[in-house]
Amino acid sequence: MDGDGRDSGQGERQGRSDRDQAVAALRAGGLVILPTETVYGLAADAADPKAVAAIFEAKGRPRFNPLIAHVADLATAEKIAVFDDRARKLAEAFWPGPMTLVLPIRDASAVCDLARAGLETVAIRVPGHEGARDMLAAFGGPVVAPSANRSGRPSPTTYEDAIGETGSSAGAALDGGPCQVGLESTVVSVLDGAPRLLRPGAVTRAQIEALIGPLAEAADDAKRSPGRLAVHYAPDAPVRINAEAAGEGEAYLAFGPHAGGERVFNLSPSGDLAEAAANLFAFLRAADRTKPSAIAVAAIPDEGLGEAINDRLRRAAGFVG
């Protein structure tokens, strides 16, 4: 028994039961709410075109936007994608964790054409969430798992928000608690030529460049990455960025010291970018629930994690990135 009187063994058995139910749903062609360290995903068997199509239907997601294949470990990833020395260095340094690599496809049958948006590349990662890896290992193959929101909406970082967004389409759901990172994975393409940063995220440009040298900009490779639509992560209310204060009827996402007040949500009172990243989507949702005329957002430093936060905010505001 735990100190508070709960049976820890009972919790472990429940966890295995939930995992087994999720694996069974995937094998039957169903969808699963899957926790990761970044955001909650809506998962399906990556090899099953019908199951992948069900994700697009549940999310209302454009079919040209590729999905990320999640696997339990590097050994599994190497059966699916072609790794060169640069890609292997990144995987060994940042997996399990919030980094996605876009690589040449090795086994096209493992990740279906629909999931890859018809490309000869695959976006792949090993998630840092232990529960997700446990389910992936039990399933035994790659699972595509875009964020469990309706397309264009803020990504869910809690179980409750994931269920509220797409839970009605899922045959099973795993509750992994609040997401620790709260921001989608960094996406880097490692193909011919210089590696390219396709989407900033929790693993920063500086961390990557310290390992494999300078990164090129996304350019035409942007189509290979999820989350590259001009309007993305958007709440119902319009978003106004780099705002010094809220206007009449607006909610305000502050950053740093702030007096607070009605409809004020402080991403990080101490000005910590990691805390702001973890709170971003949850606070966008919370602000949106107040039915404001708009959501004003304070300026965020465009360095380190700030690059990824500002990328998401520009897309929420409808700016082409």
Side-chain angles (χ1 to χ4, degrees):
M1 302 280 281
D2 291 332
D4 60 3
R6 292 178 298 174
D7 184 344
S8 59
Q10 182 178 357
E12 291 175 4
R13 289 190 295 274
Q14 181 62 50
R16 286 195 298 271
S17 174
D18 292 344
R19 179 202 65 191
D20 293 345
Q21 183 180 1
V23 168
L26 290 171
R27 289 178 177 162
L31 306 184
V32 170
I33 298 291
L34 180 69
T36 77
E37 79 281 18
T38 56
V39 300
Y40 271 79
L42 184 63
D45 180 353
D48 184 343
K50 289 184 179 180
V52 174
I55 289 179
F56 288 118
E57 183 177 3
K59 286 177 61 66
R61 186 183 181 121
R63 279 167 169 69
F64 57 78
N65 209 6
L67 307 180
I68 296 172
H70 296 68
V71 294
D73 50 42
L74 176 56
T76 304
E78 289 191 303
K79 295 176 182 177
I80 297 167
V82 178
F83 284 72
D84 64 12
D85 290 342
R86 301 167 300 174
R88 195 165 288 106
K89 276 186 180 180
L90 292 173
E92 290 173 348
F94 300 115
W95 283 359
M99 167 169 280
T100 294
L101 298 175
V102 175
L103 305 171
I105 188 71
R106 182 188 298 277
D107 181 3
S109 67
V111 182
C112 70
D113 186 71
L114 182 59
R116 291 183 286 107
L119 300 169
E120 292 303 312
T121 55
V122 62
I124 194 165
R125 84 177 183 104
V126 177
H129 193 286
E130 185 177 354
R133 292 199 309 279
D134 179 55
M135 193 219 69
L136 289 165
F139 180 64
V143 163
V144 289
S147 53
N149 53 292
R150 297 187 301 279
S151 187
R153 295 269 299 158
S155 302
T157 55
T158 67
Y159 178 76
E160 291 76 17
D161 280 341
I163 292 295
E165 284 281 335
T166 56
S168 62
S169 300
L174 297 176
D175 184 353
C179 299
Q180 292 183 336
V181 174
L183 201 67
E184 292 88 350
S185 60
T186 303
V187 181
V188 178
S189 71
V190 187
L191 304 169
D192 294 336
R196 295 184 182 275
L197 180 63
L198 303 189
R199 183 177 73 183
V203 178
T204 66
R205 181 189 298 266
Q207 289 175 296
I208 298 164
E209 291 186 335
L211 194 65
I212 61 170
L215 291 168
E217 294 306 316
D220 291 340
D221 269 356
K223 67 183 181 182
R224 301 183 186 277
S225 175
R228 296 294 300 185
L229 297 180
V231 180
H232 211 77
Y233 315 110
D236 291 332
V239 174
R240 184 168 66 88
I241 59 177
N242 298 321
E244 293 185 1
E248 185 176 353
E250 292 183 333
Y252 188 59
L253 267 59
F255 179 77
H258 192 277
E262 188 178 3
R263 287 182 172 173
V264 173
F265 303 84
N266 201 325
L267 293 169
S268 174
S270 65
D272 180 86
L273 288 171
E275 182 181 19
N279 287 331
L280 178 61
F281 290 131
F283 284 12
L284 274 173
R285 287 176 174 279
D288 205 32
R289 284 194 286 267
T290 70
K291 305 298 183 183
S293 60
I295 300 173
V297 187
I300 305 294
D302 202 32
E303 59 188 28
L305 267 176
E307 182 180 13
I309 295 170
N310 283 317
D311 172 79
R312 304 312 193 273
L313 287 171
R314 284 191 293 271
R315 295 178 190 283
F319 297 148
V320 176

